[in-house]
Amino acid sequence: MEPGSSTVEGITFTTYKAESDLEPAIKLIDQDLSEPYSIYTYRYFVHQWPELCILAHTESGECAGVIICKLEAHKRRYYEGHFADGPSLNRGYIAMIAVGKPFRKLGIGRSLVRQALDRMKAMGADEVAMEAETTNSAALALYQRLGFVKDKRLYRYYMDGTDAFRLKLWLS
Ligand SMILES: CC(C)(COP(=O)(O)OP(=O)(O)OC[C@H]1O[C@@H](n2cnc3c(N)ncnc32)[C@H](O)[C@@H]1OP(=O)(O)O)[C@@H](O)C(=O)NCCC(=O)NCCS
């Protein structure tokens, strides 16, 4: 992969088109999750924000990675130094990302995040948030290298009792 580039040799990136894209994406995501999502959760994201679901495919058509995000208005609870409702801001949220085990460490994860960030910026995002297990060093390193910073620790956030970090990237 070229430094600073979002392309990965031999990998094609496509935008979610139809339900047939979901099955391989779910397989990838489920293999690493501490708690499985229902099909309705996936549909909630991909039906409302199809452009924020990006898939990576090998030359043979295998799904090697996927990212699923959303972007919506978020009411400010703290504004100009006070706890007060301010104008809402557009918050992007990276809900899920997974790269298949044989395809890791090739730059696919970084490329998926970069492309999703570019799209969210173009759609007017002011900030982007995501959560990762405090023990997920690969994900934390990936996001921190892209400029995300730890915003909060969320105690016992996952079903198995693990804590999470919420990471944020401010765009405006
Ligand atoms: C996290 C994940 C998506 C990274 O995907 P990837 O394609 O392997 O990542 P990349 O090759 O793009 O790596 C980008 C950066 O991430 C970091 N990184 C990736 N894997 C890492 C690892 N195993 N250990 C430490 N840092 C790692 C590095 O900083 C790397 O940059 P560098 O190669 O310049 O050092 C992948 O490991 C994965 O699918 N994990 C299981 C699912 C998961 O944990 N999802 C995140 C939930 S929040």
Side-chain angles (χ1 to χ4, degrees), residues 1-9 11 13 54-56 64-69 94 96-100 103-121 128 130 137-148 169:
M1 181 180 160
E2 299 159 38
S5 136
S6 284
T7 59
V8 181
E9 208 182 315
I11 298 291
F13 294 92
I54 306 169
L55 300 116
V66 60
I67 189 166
I68 297 178
C69 316
I94 301 176
M96 304 161 202
I97 179 170
V99 172
F103 309 107
R104 288 187 188 164
K105 293 242 173 190
L106 298 173
I108 296 175
R110 177 175 30 224
S111 182
L112 286 168
V113 176
R114 277 201 181 137
Q115 292 180 62
L117 291 176
D118 285 347
R119 290 181 187 195
M120 287 191 258
K121 271 185 221 166
V128 179
M130 50 79 52
S137 47
L140 293 171
L142 163 67
Y143 285 104
Q144 286 177 313
R145 284 189 63 130
L146 287 170
F148 282 76
L169 177 72

CSV table of all heavy atoms in Angstrom, one decimal, residues 1-9 11 13 54-56 64-69 94 96-100 103-121 128 130 137-148 169:
chain,number,residue,atom,x,y,z
A,1,MET,N,0.8,-1.2,0.0
A,1,MET,CA,0.0,0.0,0.0
A,1,MET,C,0.9,1.3,0.0
A,1,MET,O,1.8,1.3,0.7
A,1,MET,CB,-0.9,0.0,1.3
A,1,MET,CG,-1.8,1.1,1.4
A,1,MET,SD,-2.7,1.0,2.9
A,1,MET,CE,-3.2,2.7,3.1
A,2,GLU,N,0.5,2.2,-0.8
A,2,GLU,CA,1.3,3.5,-0.8
A,2,GLU,C,1.0,4.2,0.5
A,2,GLU,O,-0.1,4.2,1.0
A,2,GLU,CB,0.8,4.4,-2.0
A,2,GLU,CG,0.9,3.8,-3.3
A,2,GLU,CD,0.0,4.6,-4.3
A,2,GLU,OE1,-0.2,5.8,-4.1
A,2,GLU,OE2,-0.6,3.9,-5.2
A,3,PRO,N,2.1,4.9,1.0
A,3,PRO,CA,1.8,5.7,2.2
A,3,PRO,C,0.8,6.8,2.0
A,3,PRO,O,0.8,7.4,0.9
A,3,PRO,CB,3.2,6.3,2.6
A,3,PRO,CG,4.1,6.0,1.4
A,3,PRO,CD,3.4,5.0,0.5
A,4,GLY,N,-0.1,6.9,2.9
A,4,GLY,CA,-1.1,8.0,2.8
A,4,GLY,C,-2.2,7.7,1.8
A,4,GLY,O,-3.1,8.5,1.6
A,5,SER,N,-2.2,6.5,1.1
A,5,SER,CA,-3.2,6.2,0.1
A,5,SER,C,-4.3,5.4,0.7
A,5,SER,O,-4.1,4.7,1.7
A,5,SER,CB,-2.6,5.5,-1.1
A,5,SER,OG,-3.3,4.5,-1.5
A,6,SER,N,-5.5,5.4,0.1
A,6,SER,CA,-6.6,4.6,0.6
A,6,SER,C,-6.8,3.3,-0.3
A,6,SER,O,-7.8,2.7,-0.2
A,6,SER,CB,-7.9,5.4,0.6
A,6,SER,OG,-7.9,6.2,1.7
A,7,THR,N,-5.8,3.1,-1.2
A,7,THR,CA,-6.0,1.9,-2.0
A,7,THR,C,-5.1,0.8,-1.5
A,7,THR,O,-4.1,1.0,-0.9
A,7,THR,CB,-5.5,2.2,-3.5
A,7,THR,OG1,-4.2,2.7,-3.4
A,7,THR,CG2,-6.4,3.3,-4.1
A,8,VAL,N,-5.5,-0.4,-1.7
A,8,VAL,CA,-4.8,-1.6,-1.3
A,8,VAL,C,-4.7,-2.5,-2.6
A,8,VAL,O,-5.7,-2.8,-3.2
A,8,VAL,CB,-5.4,-2.3,-0.2
A,8,VAL,CG1,-4.6,-3.5,0.3
A,8,VAL,CG2,-5.7,-1.4,1.0
A,9,GLU,N,-3.5,-2.9,-2.9
A,9,GLU,CA,-3.3,-3.7,-4.1
A,9,GLU,C,-4.1,-5.0,-4.1
A,9,GLU,O,-4.2,-5.7,-3.1
A,9,GLU,CB,-1.8,-4.1,-4.2
A,9,GLU,CG,-1.4,-4.3,-5.7
A,9,GLU,CD,0.1,-4.7,-5.7
A,9,GLU,OE1,0.9,-4.1,-5.0
A,9,GLU,OE2,0.3,-5.6,-6.5
A,11,ILE,N,-7.3,-5.3,-4.0
A,11,ILE,CA,-8.5,-5.1,-3.2
A,11,ILE,C,-9.4,-4.1,-3.9
A,11,ILE,O,-9.0,-3.0,-4.2
A,11,ILE,CB,-8.3,-4.8,-1.8
A,11,ILE,CG1,-7.5,-5.8,-1.1
A,11,ILE,CG2,-9.6,-4.5,-1.0
A,11,ILE,CD1,-8.2,-7.2,-0.8
A,13,PHE,N,-12.9,-1.8,-3.4
A,13,PHE,CA,-13.9,-1.3,-2.4
A,13,PHE,C,-15.2,-1.0,-3.1
A,13,PHE,O,-15.2,-0.3,-4.1
A,13,PHE,CB,-13.3,-0.1,-1.7
A,13,PHE,CG,-12.0,-0.5,-0.9
A,13,PHE,CD1,-10.8,-0.4,-1.5
A,13,PHE,CD2,-12.1,-0.9,0.4
A,13,PHE,CE1,-9.6,-0.7,-0.7
A,13,PHE,CE2,-11.0,-1.3,1.1
A,13,PHE,CZ,-9.7,-1.2,0.6
A,54,ILE,N,-19.1,0.1,3.5
A,54,ILE,CA,-18.2,-0.1,2.4
A,54,ILE,C,-17.6,-1.5,2.6
A,54,ILE,O,-17.3,-1.9,3.7
A,54,ILE,CB,-17.0,1.0,2.5
A,54,ILE,CG1,-17.6,2.4,2.5
A,54,ILE,CG2,-16.1,0.8,1.3
A,54,ILE,CD1,-16.6,3.5,2.8
A,55,LEU,N,-17.5,-2.2,1.5
A,55,LEU,CA,-17.0,-3.6,1.5
A,55,LEU,C,-15.7,-3.7,0.7
A,55,LEU,O,-15.5,-3.0,-0.3
A,55,LEU,CB,-18.0,-4.5,0.9
A,55,LEU,CG,-19.4,-4.5,1.6
A,55,LEU,CD1,-20.5,-4.0,0.7
A,55,LEU,CD2,-19.7,-5.9,2.2
A,56,ALA,N,-14.8,-4.5,1.2
A,56,ALA,CA,-13.5,-4.8,0.5
A,56,ALA,C,-13.6,-6.2,-0.1
A,56,ALA,O,-14.0,-7.1,0.6
A,56,ALA,CB,-12.4,-4.7,1.5
A,64,ALA,N,-13.3,-9.4,2.1
A,64,ALA,CA,-12.1,-9.4,2.9
A,64,ALA,C,-12.3,-8.4,4.1
A,64,ALA,O,-11.6,-8.5,5.1
A,64,ALA,CB,-10.9,-9.0,2.1
A,65,GLY,N,-13.3,-7.5,4.0
A,65,GLY,CA,-13.4,-6.5,5.1
A,65,GLY,C,-14.7,-5.7,4.9
A,65,GLY,O,-15.2,-5.6,3.7
A,66,VAL,N,-15.1,-5.1,6.0
A,66,VAL,CA,-16.4,-4.3,5.9
A,66,VAL,C,-16.4,-3.3,7.0
A,66,VAL,O,-15.8,-3.5,8.1
A,66,VAL,CB,-17.6,-5.2,6.0
A,66,VAL,CG1,-17.7,-6.0,7.3
A,66,VAL,CG2,-18.9,-4.4,5.8
A,67,ILE,N,-17.0,-2.1,6.7
A,67,ILE,CA,-17.2,-1.1,7.7
A,67,ILE,C,-18.6,-0.6,7.6
A,67,ILE,O,-19.1,-0.5,6.5
A,67,ILE,CB,-16.2,0.1,7.6
A,67,ILE,CG1,-16.3,1.0,8.8
A,67,ILE,CG2,-16.4,0.9,6.3
A,67,ILE,CD1,-15.1,2.0,8.9
A,68,ILE,N,-19.3,-0.4,8.7
A,68,ILE,CA,-20.7,0.0,8.7
A,68,ILE,C,-20.8,1.2,9.7
A,68,ILE,O,-20.4,1.1,10.8
A,68,ILE,CB,-21.6,-1.1,9.2
A,68,ILE,CG1,-21.5,-2.3,8.2
A,68,ILE,CG2,-23.0,-0.7,9.4
A,68,ILE,CD1,-22.3,-3.5,8.6
A,69,CYS,N,-21.3,2.3,9.2
A,69,CYS,CA,-21.4,3.6,10.0
A,69,CYS,C,-22.7,4.2,9.8
A,69,CYS,O,-23.5,3.8,8.9
A,69,CYS,CB,-20.3,4.6,9.5
A,69,CYS,SG,-18.7,3.9,9.1
A,94,ILE,N,-18.9,5.0,13.8
A,94,ILE,CA,-18.5,3.8,13.2
A,94,ILE,C,-19.0,2.7,14.1
A,94,ILE,O,-18.5,2.5,15.2
A,94,ILE,CB,-16.9,3.8,13.1
A,94,ILE,CG1,-16.5,5.0,12.2
A,94,ILE,CG2,-16.5,2.4,12.5
A,94,ILE,CD1,-15.0,5.1,12.1
A,96,MET,N,-19.4,-0.8,13.2
A,96,MET,CA,-18.7,-2.1,13.0
A,96,MET,C,-17.6,-2.0,12.0
A,96,MET,O,-17.8,-1.3,11.0
A,96,MET,CB,-19.7,-3.1,12.5
A,96,MET,CG,-20.9,-3.3,13.4
A,96,MET,SD,-22.3,-4.0,12.5
A,96,MET,CE,-23.7,-3.5,13.4
A,97,ILE,N,-16.5,-2.7,12.2
A,97,ILE,CA,-15.5,-2.9,11.2
A,97,ILE,C,-14.9,-4.2,11.5
A,97,ILE,O,-14.6,-4.6,12.6
A,97,ILE,CB,-14.4,-1.7,11.3
A,97,ILE,CG1,-13.3,-2.0,10.2
A,97,ILE,CG2,-13.8,-1.6,12.7
A,97,ILE,CD1,-12.4,-0.8,10.0
A,98,ALA,N,-14.6,-4.9,10.4
A,98,ALA,CA,-13.9,-6.2,10.5
A,98,ALA,C,-13.1,-6.5,9.2
A,98,ALA,O,-13.6,-6.2,8.1
A,98,ALA,CB,-14.9,-7.3,10.8
A,99,VAL,N,-12.0,-7.1,9.4
A,99,VAL,CA,-11.2,-7.5,8.3
A,99,VAL,C,-10.9,-9.0,8.5
A,99,VAL,O,-10.6,-9.4,9.6
A,99,VAL,CB,-9.8,-6.7,8.2
A,99,VAL,CG1,-8.9,-7.3,7.1
A,99,VAL,CG2,-10.1,-5.3,7.9
A,100,GLY,N,-11.1,-9.8,7.5
A,100,GLY,CA,-10.9,-11.3,7.6
A,100,GLY,C,-9.5,-11.6,8.0
A,100,GLY,O,-8.6,-10.9,7.6
A,103,PHE,N,-6.5,-11.5,5.8
A,103,PHE,CA,-6.2,-10.2,5.1
A,103,PHE,C,-5.8,-9.1,6.0
A,103,PHE,O,-5.8,-7.9,5.6
A,103,PHE,CB,-7.5,-9.8,4.3
A,103,PHE,CG,-8.0,-10.9,3.5
A,103,PHE,CD1,-9.2,-11.6,3.8
A,103,PHE,CD2,-7.4,-11.3,2.3
A,103,PHE,CE1,-9.7,-12.7,3.1
A,103,PHE,CE2,-7.9,-12.4,1.5
A,103,PHE,CZ,-9.0,-13.0,1.9
A,104,ARG,N,-5.5,-9.4,7.2
A,104,ARG,CA,-5.2,-8.3,8.2
A,104,ARG,C,-3.8,-7.8,8.0
A,104,ARG,O,-2.9,-8.5,7.4
A,104,ARG,CB,-5.3,-8.8,9.6
A,104,ARG,CG,-6.8,-9.0,10.0
A,104,ARG,CD,-7.1,-9.3,11.4
A,104,ARG,NE,-8.5,-9.6,11.5
A,104,ARG,CZ,-9.1,-10.2,12.5
A,104,ARG,NH1,-8.4,-10.6,13.6
A,104,ARG,NH2,-10.4,-10.4,12.5
A,105,LYS,N,-3.5,-6.6,8.5
A,105,LYS,CA,-2.2,-6.0,8.4
A,105,LYS,C,-1.7,-5.7,7.0
A,105,LYS,O,-0.6,-5.7,6.7
A,105,LYS,CB,-1.2,-6.9,9.1
A,105,LYS,CG,-1.4,-7.1,10.6
A,105,LYS,CD,-0.2,-6.5,11.3
A,105,LYS,CE,-0.3,-6.4,12.8
A,105,LYS,NZ,0.8,-5.7,13.3
A,106,LEU,N,-2.7,-5.5,6.1
A,106,LEU,CA,-2.4,-5.1,4.7
A,106,LEU,C,-2.8,-3.7,4.4
A,106,LEU,O,-2.7,-3.2,3.3
A,106,LEU,CB,-3.1,-6.1,3.7
A,106,LEU,CG,-2.7,-7.6,3.8
A,106,LEU,CD1,-3.6,-8.4,2.9
A,106,LEU,CD2,-1.3,-7.8,3.4
A,107,GLY,N,-3.4,-3.1,5.4
A,107,GLY,CA,-3.9,-1.7,5.2
A,107,GLY,C,-5.4,-1.6,4.9
A,107,GLY,O,-5.9,-0.6,4.6
A,108,ILE,N,-6.1,-2.8,4.9
A,108,ILE,CA,-7.5,-2.8,4.5
A,108,ILE,C,-8.3,-2.0,5.5
A,108,ILE,O,-9.2,-1.2,5.2
A,108,ILE,CB,-8.0,-4.2,4.3
A,108,ILE,CG1,-7.3,-4.8,3.1
A,108,ILE,CG2,-9.6,-4.2,4.0
A,108,ILE,CD1,-7.6,-6.3,2.8
A,109,GLY,N,-8.1,-2.3,6.8
A,109,GLY,CA,-8.9,-1.6,7.9
A,109,GLY,C,-8.7,-0.1,7.8
A,109,GLY,O,-9.7,0.6,7.8
A,110,ARG,N,-7.4,0.3,7.7
A,110,ARG,CA,-7.2,1.8,7.6
A,110,ARG,C,-7.9,2.4,6.4
A,110,ARG,O,-8.5,3.5,6.4
A,110,ARG,CB,-5.7,2.0,7.5
A,110,ARG,CG,-5.3,3.5,7.3
A,110,ARG,CD,-3.8,3.7,7.4
A,110,ARG,NE,-3.1,2.6,6.8
A,110,ARG,CZ,-2.0,2.1,7.4
A,110,ARG,NH1,-1.5,2.6,8.5
A,110,ARG,NH2,-1.3,1.1,6.9
A,111,SER,N,-7.8,1.7,5.3
A,111,SER,CA,-8.5,2.2,4.0
A,111,SER,C,-10.0,2.3,4.2
A,111,SER,O,-10.6,3.3,3.8
A,111,SER,CB,-8.1,1.3,2.9
A,111,SER,OG,-8.7,1.8,1.7
A,112,LEU,N,-10.6,1.3,4.9
A,112,LEU,CA,-12.0,1.3,5.1
A,112,LEU,C,-12.4,2.5,6.0
A,112,LEU,O,-13.3,3.3,5.7
A,112,LEU,CB,-12.5,0.0,5.8
A,112,LEU,CG,-12.6,-1.2,4.9
A,112,LEU,CD1,-12.7,-2.5,5.7
A,112,LEU,CD2,-13.7,-1.1,3.8
A,113,VAL,N,-11.6,2.8,7.0
A,113,VAL,CA,-11.9,3.9,7.9
A,113,VAL,C,-11.7,5.2,7.2
A,113,VAL,O,-12.6,6.1,7.2
A,113,VAL,CB,-11.0,3.8,9.2
A,113,VAL,CG1,-11.3,5.1,10.1
A,113,VAL,CG2,-11.3,2.6,10.0
A,114,ARG,N,-10.6,5.3,6.4
A,114,ARG,CA,-10.4,6.6,5.7
A,114,ARG,C,-11.5,6.9,4.7
A,114,ARG,O,-11.9,8.0,4.6
A,114,ARG,CB,-9.1,6.5,4.9
A,114,ARG,CG,-7.9,6.7,5.8
A,114,ARG,CD,-6.7,7.1,4.8
A,114,ARG,NE,-5.5,7.4,5.6
A,114,ARG,CZ,-4.3,6.9,5.2
A,114,ARG,NH1,-4.2,6.2,4.1
A,114,ARG,NH2,-3.3,7.3,5.9
A,115,GLN,N,-11.9,5.9,4.0
A,115,GLN,CA,-13.0,6.1,3.0
A,115,GLN,C,-14.3,6.5,3.7
A,115,GLN,O,-15.0,7.4,3.2
A,115,GLN,CB,-13.2,4.9,2.2
A,115,GLN,CG,-12.0,4.6,1.2
A,115,GLN,CD,-12.2,3.4,0.4
A,115,GLN,OE1,-13.2,3.3,-0.4
A,115,GLN,NE2,-11.4,2.4,0.6
A,116,ALA,N,-14.6,5.8,4.8
A,116,ALA,CA,-15.8,6.2,5.6
A,116,ALA,C,-15.7,7.6,6.1
A,116,ALA,O,-16.7,8.4,6.0
A,116,ALA,CB,-16.0,5.2,6.7
A,117,LEU,N,-14.5,8.0,6.6
A,117,LEU,CA,-14.3,9.4,7.1
A,117,LEU,C,-14.5,10.4,6.0
A,117,LEU,O,-15.2,11.4,6.2
A,117,LEU,CB,-13.0,9.5,7.7
A,117,LEU,CG,-12.7,8.8,9.1
A,117,LEU,CD1,-11.3,9.0,9.5
A,117,LEU,CD2,-13.7,9.2,10.2
A,118,ASP,N,-14.0,10.1,4.8
A,118,ASP,CA,-14.1,11.0,3.7
A,118,ASP,C,-15.6,11.2,3.3
A,118,ASP,O,-16.0,12.3,3.1
A,118,ASP,CB,-13.4,10.5,2.5
A,118,ASP,CG,-11.9,10.7,2.6
A,118,ASP,OD1,-11.4,11.4,3.5
A,118,ASP,OD2,-11.1,10.0,1.8
A,119,ARG,N,-16.3,10.1,3.4
A,119,ARG,CA,-17.7,10.2,3.0
A,119,ARG,C,-18.5,11.0,4.1
A,119,ARG,O,-19.4,11.8,3.8
A,119,ARG,CB,-18.3,8.8,2.8
A,119,ARG,CG,-17.8,8.1,1.6
A,119,ARG,CD,-18.4,6.8,1.4
A,119,ARG,NE,-17.7,6.1,0.3
A,119,ARG,CZ,-18.2,5.1,-0.3
A,119,ARG,NH1,-19.3,4.5,0.0
A,119,ARG,NH2,-17.5,4.5,-1.3
A,120,MET,N,-18.2,10.7,5.3
A,120,MET,CA,-18.9,11.4,6.4
A,120,MET,C,-18.6,12.9,6.4
A,120,MET,O,-19.5,13.7,6.6
A,120,MET,CB,-18.5,10.8,7.8
A,120,MET,CG,-19.2,9.5,8.0
A,120,MET,SD,-19.0,8.9,9.7
A,120,MET,CE,-17.7,7.7,9.5
A,121,LYS,N,-17.3,13.3,6.1
A,121,LYS,CA,-16.9,14.7,5.9
A,121,LYS,C,-17.8,15.3,4.8
A,121,LYS,O,-18.3,16.4,5.0
A,121,LYS,CB,-15.5,14.8,5.6
A,121,LYS,CG,-14.5,14.9,6.7
A,121,LYS,CD,-13.1,15.1,6.2
A,121,LYS,CE,-12.1,14.3,7.0
A,121,LYS,NZ,-10.8,14.2,6.5
A,128,VAL,N,-16.7,12.3,14.7
A,128,VAL,CA,-16.9,10.9,14.4
A,128,VAL,C,-16.5,10.2,15.7
A,128,VAL,O,-15.5,10.4,16.3
A,128,VAL,CB,-16.1,10.3,13.2
A,128,VAL,CG1,-16.4,8.9,13.0
A,128,VAL,CG2,-16.5,11.1,12.0
A,130,MET,N,-16.6,6.2,18.0
A,130,MET,CA,-16.7,4.8,17.9
A,130,MET,C,-16.2,4.2,19.2
A,130,MET,O,-15.7,5.0,20.1
A,130,MET,CB,-15.8,4.2,16.8
A,130,MET,CG,-14.3,4.7,16.7
A,130,MET,SD,-13.2,3.9,17.9
A,130,MET,CE,-13.5,2.2,17.6
A,137,SER,N,-6.1,-3.9,21.1
A,137,SER,CA,-5.0,-3.1,20.8
A,137,SER,C,-4.9,-2.8,19.3
A,137,SER,O,-4.5,-1.7,18.9
A,137,SER,CB,-3.7,-3.7,21.3
A,137,SER,OG,-3.6,-5.0,20.9
A,138,ALA,N,-5.3,-3.7,18.4
A,138,ALA,CA,-5.3,-3.5,17.0
A,138,ALA,C,-6.2,-2.3,16.6
A,138,ALA,O,-5.8,-1.4,15.9
A,138,ALA,CB,-5.6,-4.8,16.2
A,139,ALA,N,-7.5,-2.4,17.1
A,139,ALA,CA,-8.4,-1.4,16.8
A,139,ALA,C,-8.0,0.0,17.4
A,139,ALA,O,-8.1,1.0,16.7
A,139,ALA,CB,-9.8,-1.8,17.2
A,140,LEU,N,-7.6,0.0,18.6
A,140,LEU,CA,-7.2,1.2,19.2
A,140,LEU,C,-6.0,1.9,18.5
A,140,LEU,O,-6.0,3.1,18.2
A,140,LEU,CB,-6.8,1.0,20.7
A,140,LEU,CG,-8.0,0.6,21.6
A,140,LEU,CD1,-7.5,0.2,23.0
A,140,LEU,CD2,-9.1,1.7,21.7
A,141,ALA,N,-5.0,1.1,18.1
A,141,ALA,CA,-3.9,1.6,17.3
A,141,ALA,C,-4.3,2.2,16.0
A,141,ALA,O,-3.9,3.2,15.6
A,141,ALA,CB,-2.8,0.5,17.2
A,142,LEU,N,-5.2,1.4,15.3
A,142,LEU,CA,-5.7,1.8,14.0
A,142,LEU,C,-6.3,3.2,14.1
A,142,LEU,O,-6.0,4.1,13.3
A,142,LEU,CB,-6.7,0.8,13.5
A,142,LEU,CG,-7.6,1.2,12.3
A,142,LEU,CD1,-6.9,1.4,11.1
A,142,LEU,CD2,-8.6,0.1,12.1
A,143,TYR,N,-7.2,3.4,15.1
A,143,TYR,CA,-8.0,4.7,15.2
A,143,TYR,C,-7.1,5.8,15.7
A,143,TYR,O,-7.1,6.9,15.2
A,143,TYR,CB,-9.2,4.5,16.1
A,143,TYR,CG,-10.3,3.7,15.4
A,143,TYR,CD1,-10.6,2.4,15.7
A,143,TYR,CD2,-11.1,4.4,14.4
A,143,TYR,CE1,-11.6,1.7,15.0
A,143,TYR,CE2,-12.1,3.7,13.8
A,143,TYR,CZ,-12.3,2.4,14.1
A,143,TYR,OH,-13.3,1.7,13.4
A,144,GLN,N,-6.2,5.5,16.6
A,144,GLN,CA,-5.4,6.6,17.2
A,144,GLN,C,-4.4,7.1,16.1
A,144,GLN,O,-4.1,8.2,16.0
A,144,GLN,CB,-4.7,6.1,18.4
A,144,GLN,CG,-5.7,6.0,19.6
A,144,GLN,CD,-5.2,5.5,20.9
A,144,GLN,OE1,-4.5,4.5,20.9
A,144,GLN,NE2,-5.5,6.2,22.0
A,145,ARG,N,-3.9,6.2,15.2
A,145,ARG,CA,-3.0,6.6,14.1
A,145,ARG,C,-3.8,7.5,13.1
A,145,ARG,O,-3.2,8.2,12.4
A,145,ARG,CB,-2.4,5.4,13.4
A,145,ARG,CG,-1.3,4.8,14.3
A,145,ARG,CD,-0.6,3.7,13.5
A,145,ARG,NE,0.1,4.3,12.4
A,145,ARG,CZ,1.3,4.1,12.1
A,145,ARG,NH1,2.1,3.4,12.8
A,145,ARG,NH2,1.9,4.7,11.0
A,146,LEU,N,-5.1,7.4,13.1
A,146,LEU,CA,-5.9,8.2,12.2
A,146,LEU,C,-6.3,9.5,12.9
A,146,LEU,O,-7.1,10.3,12.3
A,146,LEU,CB,-7.1,7.4,11.7
A,146,LEU,CG,-6.7,6.4,10.6
A,146,LEU,CD1,-7.9,5.5,10.3
A,146,LEU,CD2,-6.1,7.0,9.3
A,147,GLY,N,-5.9,9.7,14.1
A,147,GLY,CA,-6.2,11.0,14.8
A,147,GLY,C,-7.3,10.9,15.9
A,147,GLY,O,-7.6,12.0,16.5
A,148,PHE,N,-7.9,9.8,16.0
A,148,PHE,CA,-8.9,9.7,17.1
A,148,PHE,C,-8.3,9.7,18.5
A,148,PHE,O,-7.1,9.3,18.6
A,148,PHE,CB,-9.6,8.3,17.0
A,148,PHE,CG,-10.6,8.2,15.9
A,148,PHE,CD1,-10.3,8.1,14.6
A,148,PHE,CD2,-12.0,8.2,16.2
A,148,PHE,CE1,-11.2,8.0,13.5
A,148,PHE,CE2,-13.0,8.1,15.2
A,148,PHE,CZ,-12.5,8.0,13.8
A,169,LEU,N,-13.1,11.7,16.9
A,169,LEU,CA,-12.3,12.5,15.9
A,169,LEU,C,-13.1,13.7,15.7
A,169,LEU,O,-14.2,13.6,15.2
A,169,LEU,CB,-12.0,11.7,14.6
A,169,LEU,CG,-11.3,12.4,13.5
A,169,LEU,CD1,-9.8,12.6,13.9
A,169,LEU,CD2,-11.4,11.7,12.2
